[in-house]
Amino acid sequence: MSAGGGDVLSPEVYLDGPPWERLAWLRANAPVYDHRLDDPLLVDRCWVISRHEDVRAVSRDPATFSSASGIHLRRTATHHFRPNMINMDDPDHQRVRKLVSGGFTPRVVRAFERHYADLAAGVVDRALAGGGPFDGVRDVAAELPLLAICEVLGAPEEDRFRIFGWSNTLLSSEDPDYAPTPEAFEAAVMAMVGYAGELAERRRREPGDDLVSALLGPTGELPLTDAEFEGLVLLLLAAGNETTRNAIAHGLWAFAEHPDQWAVLRSDLDATLDTAVEEMIRWASPVNYMSRTATQDLELHGQLIHKGDKVALLYASANRDETAFAEPERFDIRRDPNHHLAFGFGPHFCLGATLARIELRAIFEVLIPRVSRFELAGPVVRARSSFLNAIKELPLRVA
């Protein structure tokens, strides 16, 4: 292993955030990097893809780079428990995605957009009510995505606290605060599997205007196997709230550290809100990486990748690539164009990307007239995870 690249995948490397200097070295010197791993929970070896153009190219070639063997580098991944869209190749991926996409049509999204403004106002009211410091993660960033995914799936709002805990364990399983043992991880998975069955039974009895009811249809029969439905619910409950939560949290933190950008947003909202949302998402890169598995031998940048090798797509690195972004280390809410890869690319592009953007817009539209500046009120605590760029605690105060 080259001393210049070093370890860019072990969880402890990310305790203070992604290792930006190492990632920049990889982009310049080893864009296809043979990475050995010592973590007992992770695979022994994978190839790291760090450049923006290469991450795009691999993402749009699922025939060569398969998702079906899992998108995480864990030795035991969630797809071993239940299949879901993100861990499928076509035709299964397209079959399930087509069924689910009905819950994200323009008509549905427009309805969410109107409603999320009201939900966001309630979230901000509760967070700012005491006039003192608050946790930007639990009190602001987590609330709206949890309420939103409950609405999408037809889950009761009061269940969001359970969903919050389960999704932390599932997606930040490298953090001992969330998953102290492999058994705790498996228990969270199985609890969510059981919850999927509860949702289906509830919606058979009381159908509503939600995705689970739509899947059940008038017959009450799912067009998916039980395992596929359970995997879908796991994916939407966990990824559907956690990634947006971290985008919002990183946005709040960025504005606390870049008050000039908050001032620009407040002074020119109509011209900057859309580009600000994209910049927050690029800056956050909520998912640091996903992996693929090579389906054949191939050569990339002079490196021979063998059939069966794991390939890690480093979105965090791609979104700071100097060849794709001017001054990528600068938080710039006017950045345009902004072709970030935080939602992935190609056939697995995030189905909930539009909803995530709506949720960010909703939260910040409420905050902008009420907050003249953000300040950190204590140390920021990150999750111990190389998979997610997750924040556990974000103490803030506002003026």
Side-chain angles (χ1 to χ4, degrees):
M1 185 186 299
S2 169
D7 185 356
V8 297
L9 284 173
S10 294
E12 60 271 13
V13 173
Y14 286 75
L15 283 173
D16 294 320
W20 299 120
E21 290 185 6
R22 295 183 190 183
L23 296 177
W25 189 93
L26 289 184
R27 290 193 299 272
N29 300 282
V32 180
Y33 178 54
D34 188 3
H35 197 312
R36 314 292 170 135
L37 290 159
D38 296 326
D39 193 303
L41 297 179
L42 304 180
V43 297
D44 294 329
R45 173 179 174 266
C46 74
W47 295 98
V48 169
I49 309 297
S50 53
R51 289 181 182 171
H52 187 278
E53 64 176 348
D54 294 330
V55 171
R56 277 175 56 106
V58 170
S59 298
R60 64 182 178 219
D61 186 7
T64 307
F65 299 97
S66 168
S67 299
S69 294
I71 49 81
H72 199 286
L73 294 172
R74 294 189 199 102
R75 292 182 184 275
T76 303
T78 55
H79 74 283
H80 291 160
F81 294 95
R82 296 295 183 276
N84 61 62
M85 280 189 301
I86 208 168
N87 285 322
M88 290 178 178
D89 293 329
D90 290 338
D92 287 335
H93 166 255
Q94 270 301 327
R95 173 177 58 84
V96 176
R97 189 180 179 100
K98 185 176 180 181
L99 288 169
V100 177
S101 63
F104 298 90
T105 63
R107 179 188 65 80
V108 172
V109 167
R110 281 194 298 272
F112 282 136
E113 190 164 16
R114 292 189 295 270
H115 185 43
Y116 286 2
D118 295 333
L119 290 178
V123 168
V124 171
D125 283 345
R126 291 190 292 273
L128 304 186
F134 60 92
D135 183 351
V137 175
R138 181 173 287 274
D139 297 333
V140 177
E143 272 285 278
L144 183 58
L146 284 167
L147 290 168
I149 204 60
C150 284
E151 286 208 349
V152 168
L153 285 170
E157 283 187 8
E158 58 269 22
D159 287 353
R160 69 188 186 277
F161 304 107
R162 285 198 289 167
I163 295 167
F164 180 78
W166 290 333
S167 59
N168 283 340
T169 301
L170 193 67
L171 294 182
S172 296
S173 61
E174 300 153 337
D175 191 312
D177 288 344
Y178 291 144
T181 64
E183 291 75 21
F185 172 75
E186 185 171 354
V189 171
M190 299 315 295
M192 295 177 86
V193 165
Y195 188 73
E198 293 173 19
L199 272 181
E201 284 306 311
R202 181 182 293 117
R203 286 310 174 208
R204 283 190 179 99
R205 295 190 305 269
E206 304 169 12
D209 188 17
D210 57 80
L211 179 58
V212 174
S213 296
L215 287 173
L216 288 166
T219 67
E221 295 296 323
L222 287 166
L224 303 166
T225 67
D226 287 347
E228 287 173 343
F229 176 69
E230 291 158 0
L232 172 65
V233 172
L234 259 72
L235 175 66
L236 295 179
L237 285 178
N241 89 82
E242 181 107 15
T243 50
T244 308
R245 174 209 310 179
N246 284 305
I248 294 171
H250 277 282
L252 292 168
W253 187 5
F255 283 122
E257 295 198 322
H258 300 86
D260 60 312
Q261 294 297 296
W262 184 247
V264 169
L265 182 59
R266 296 188 78 217
S267 66
D268 197 6
L269 175 62
D270 291 341
T272 58
L273 184 56
D274 286 340
T275 54
V277 165
E278 296 306 314
E279 181 69 344
M280 284 186 270
I281 294 167
R282 180 193 76 92
W283 190 254
S285 295
V287 178
N288 286 318
Y289 80 84
M290 285 191 186
S291 73
R292 301 289 188 264
T293 303
T295 61
Q296 62 190 52
D297 293 354
L298 70 143
E299 186 174 312
L300 186 59
H301 291 299
Q303 298 292 333
L304 181 59
I305 299 173
H306 291 285
K307 180 179 180 180
D309 284 356
K310 287 287 187 181
V311 176
L313 308 178
L314 262 66
Y315 305 121
S317 176
N319 287 339
R320 298 290 180 100
D321 189 335
E322 303 82 356
T323 66
F325 304 96
E327 298 181 81
E329 72 289 343
R330 183 164 59 90
F331 181 65
D332 177 9
I333 67 162
R334 294 186 186 273
R335 185 180 299 278
D336 187 26
N338 189 346
H339 301 302
H340 65 76
L341 300 177
F343 290 123
F345 194 75
H348 281 280
F349 182 80
C350 177
L351 192 60
T354 300
L355 279 185
R357 291 178 169 119
I358 288 172
E359 291 170 44
L360 264 82
R361 280 184 63 99
I363 282 288
F364 284 93
E365 279 183 315
V366 174
L367 286 167
I368 285 164
R370 298 184 59 175
V371 176
S372 60
R373 69 176 184 274
F374 295 98
E375 296 176 354
L376 291 178
V380 179
V381 181
R382 292 178 178 266
R384 181 189 181 275
S385 176
S386 56
F387 183 62
L388 287 187
N389 192 11
I391 303 174
K392 296 197 312 193
E393 297 175 18
L394 179 64
L396 291 172
R397 64 171 63 92
V398 300

